[in-house]
Amino acid sequence: MRTTLTRIAVASLSATAVVGIAACGPGGAPSVGAPTSGGSTSSSSSAAPTSPSSPSTPSTSSTSPSSPATPSTTTSSSSDSTSAPAGTALPAGCSTKLSPQMAALRYGQPAVYKDDNGTTVCMTVKKLTVAPESAYGGTVSKANGTLYYMTVNYANVTGGTKQVETGDMNQLELHPIFSESQTGKTLYSSVPGCDNDSDYTPIPAGQSRDTCIAYQITGATVTSSVYDNYTLRYTWK
């Protein structure tokens, strides 16, 4: 569960070579192509892998924020939001028809699946952008890598016995794809320009909500994203 804005928890995303996959906590990340310039990234879809990956699950521990390969807890100067945005209608393509277990998608295309509670949900990675220079400072040092903002829409399609919220998305399974020579970390709380204050506000059935997830990754610019929970694997480019 994410911390409030007064704390930024960082989970390590360490690399391991399993078909070019780098581990992101318990999630894996295959290698990407040549670096591109910063800003919003997108490209045409590619063929889905023939079988889901089985990345390793490295342990985490508390340490100083100086190393991107180990988790740490630091304070943030941001203040808590006083209100959460209202839910919006389901995005185009979000229906009760489930997506295949594996799919190669373009940014803005949805993946529909059942969550652990049997509720049909819809995840749409809308874009992956390089954060502006103004985002660095305080506890976020550029020496630890490039900061990326991933904008995601999460929809409660059918409703169920348990409430649905954007915080249900596991950011160790949803993350940018980077090569095994790179390391990275997830910033679990809001940073300037990347707000996730409403992540634990319930989303009513038939509605959706956007959130932003911040990642910091060393090395070449990354352009693709993946959701991989060992059973489902969706990539966005």
Side-chain angles (χ1 to χ4, degrees):
M1 179 173 181
R2 297 186 190 165
T3 60
T4 62
L5 293 179
T6 57
R7 299 179 67 82
I8 296 179
V10 185
S12 73
L13 312 176
S14 60
T16 179
V18 182
V19 196
I21 291 178
C24 176
S31 60
V32 298
T36 61
S37 60
S40 180
T41 58
S42 64
S43 69
S44 61
S45 62
S46 59
T50 56
S51 61
S53 62
S54 299
S56 61
T57 308
S59 61
T60 59
S61 61
S62 249
T63 185
S64 66
S66 59
S67 171
T70 55
S72 62
T73 301
T74 55
T75 59
S76 171
S77 60
S78 300
S79 59
D80 288 338
S81 174
T82 58
S83 62
T88 58
L90 296 179
C94 287
S95 67
T96 56
K97 182 179 180 180
L98 301 181
S99 300
Q101 285 185 295
M102 294 176 288
L105 306 167
R106 295 188 298 274
Y107 282 115
Q109 290 185 315
V112 183
Y113 59 95
K114 288 187 179 293
D115 67 9
D116 292 340
N117 299 310
T119 301
T120 300
V121 296
C122 181
M123 178 191 297
T124 306
V125 179
K126 300 171 76 173
K127 59 183 178 179
L128 179 67
T129 58
V130 174
E133 290 295 322
S134 59
Y136 298 94
T139 60
V140 182
S141 171
K142 199 167 186 179
N144 292 331
T146 301
L147 188 63
Y148 296 87
Y149 294 164
M150 183 187 292
T151 303
V152 189
N153 181 274
Y154 196 60
N156 179 357
V157 179
T158 61
T161 57
K162 301 290 185 180
Q163 73 179 37
V164 173
E165 50 198 35
T166 56
D168 293 340
M169 291 183 291
N170 186 338
Q171 289 117 39
L172 297 178
E173 298 170 348
L174 173 66
H175 53 81
I177 296 174
F178 54 95
S179 72
E180 61 186 61
S181 65
Q182 297 172 274
T183 58
K185 57 187 177 183
T186 303
L187 279 62
Y188 278 110
S189 194
S190 294
V191 294
C194 190
D195 174 40
N196 56 32
D197 290 346
S198 62
D199 274 8
Y200 296 97
T201 300
I203 303 172
Q207 295 189 19
S208 68
R209 184 172 289 121
D210 282 358
T211 191
C212 181
I213 309 168
Y215 303 89
Q216 197 165 17
I217 300 172
T218 64
T221 302
V222 298
T223 61
S224 303
S225 303
V226 64
Y227 174 74
D228 190 338
N229 70 354
Y230 301 99
T231 300
L232 305 172
R233 181 178 174 85
Y234 302 120
T235 58
W236 286 267
K237 293 183 178 180

